[in-house]
Amino acid sequence: MAALDGLPTLREVIAEHGLSARKSLGQNFLLDLNLTAKIARAAGDLKGSDILEVGPGPGGLTRGLLMEGARNVLAVEKDPRCLPALAEVAAHYPGRLTVIEGDALEIDPLAHLTPPIRICANLPYNVGTELLVRWLSPPAWPPVWTSLTLMFQREVAERIVARPGDGAYGRLAILAHWRTDARIVMTLPPEAFSPPPKVHSSVVHLTALPAPRYPADAHTLSTVVAAAFNQRRKMLRAALKGIAPPGGIEPLLLEAGIPPTARAEEIDLERFCALARALDAARSGAT
Ligand code: SAM
């Protein structure tokens, strides 16, 4: 039986190529091409963009991206069992799909793509979070990519879009809000996947801002925020002791408009950026 795009259905592809899902690779596959096309549309203008897809698996989202008109898709997949199935998709869309076998944590194929570049992925959540932090953390901004459209466990997606005072507010929210507009565009129940995971999943769409919302050094901001939230129940004057310059952290907190007795979860992005700048100024004054 043919699917929407004239290729075999994803169930047939999985059966034909023996792609039994492997837990160690976080394999929960999307089988509904209507759904993968909808995720692809959430990624924005595909016709005028090159797409990096990480973890194509049997090709459900890849086919969604191609059906929706993506100019070029470059897909990185760690599981070699998926390559023959992906080769059939590439043959159906001549010249528009390239597949690289490898670990997306070890190879960075962005240099092979032509801007505008959009990144789209349904990845195991730990790999997805690690890649998200890397994509948000280059020293210079704007990055080479225009947008990220990524599937996460719903709880992780909520941490990305959280604001001060939300229980989910922390390092991911600050990194995302500093340099992007981030929003949840879709939430899917476990039954949307085969096999179904234990929890709901959400797609987060992040658009790169032309410049960060407030000036700060990326590395210093990341260090400050990591230290602040590693001990999130502590007052900041205690939580940040480990990164204090010789003059102590309290004068810098006050300079940034932060009460030294406040806790990290109460502090907004603007004040964390002010603290990162004060810390850099104190360090350069000390040298
Ligand atoms: N995109 C497909 C879909 O939506 O049905 C598959 C999604 S499945 C959740 C995650 C995919 O990422 C699997 O195909 C898995 O083999 C692949 N994967 C896991 N870790 C990876 C890594 N480090 N680099 C590249 N691919 C990886």
Side-chain angles (χ1 to χ4, degrees), residues 25-30 53-58 61 76-79 82 102-105 122-124 127:
L25 285 166
Q27 291 183 332
N28 301 98
F29 300 132
L30 288 166
E53 188 196 355
V54 186
L61 182 55
V76 181
E77 173 56 59
K78 193 171 172 182
D79 183 353
C82 298
D103 183 338
L105 293 171
N122 171 20
L123 270 171
V127 181

Side-chain angles (χ1 to χ4, degrees), residues 121-171:
N122 171 20
L123 270 171
Y125 86 98
N126 54 338
V127 181
T129 310
E130 169 68 30
L131 286 173
L132 172 65
V133 169
R134 289 188 198 180
W135 286 324
L136 291 175
S137 304
W141 200 263
V144 290
W145 51 266
T146 302
S147 67
L148 309 173
T149 307
L150 308 172
M151 178 92 73
F152 292 100
Q153 293 184 349
R154 180 164 62 182
E155 171 265 326
V156 177
E158 283 167 355
R159 279 166 43 204
I160 297 168
V161 302
R163 289 289 175 268
D166 296 346
Y169 183 59
R171 177 164 169 255

Side-chain angles (χ1 to χ4, degrees), residues 35 164 193 268:
L35 189 56
F193 301 85
D268 63 13

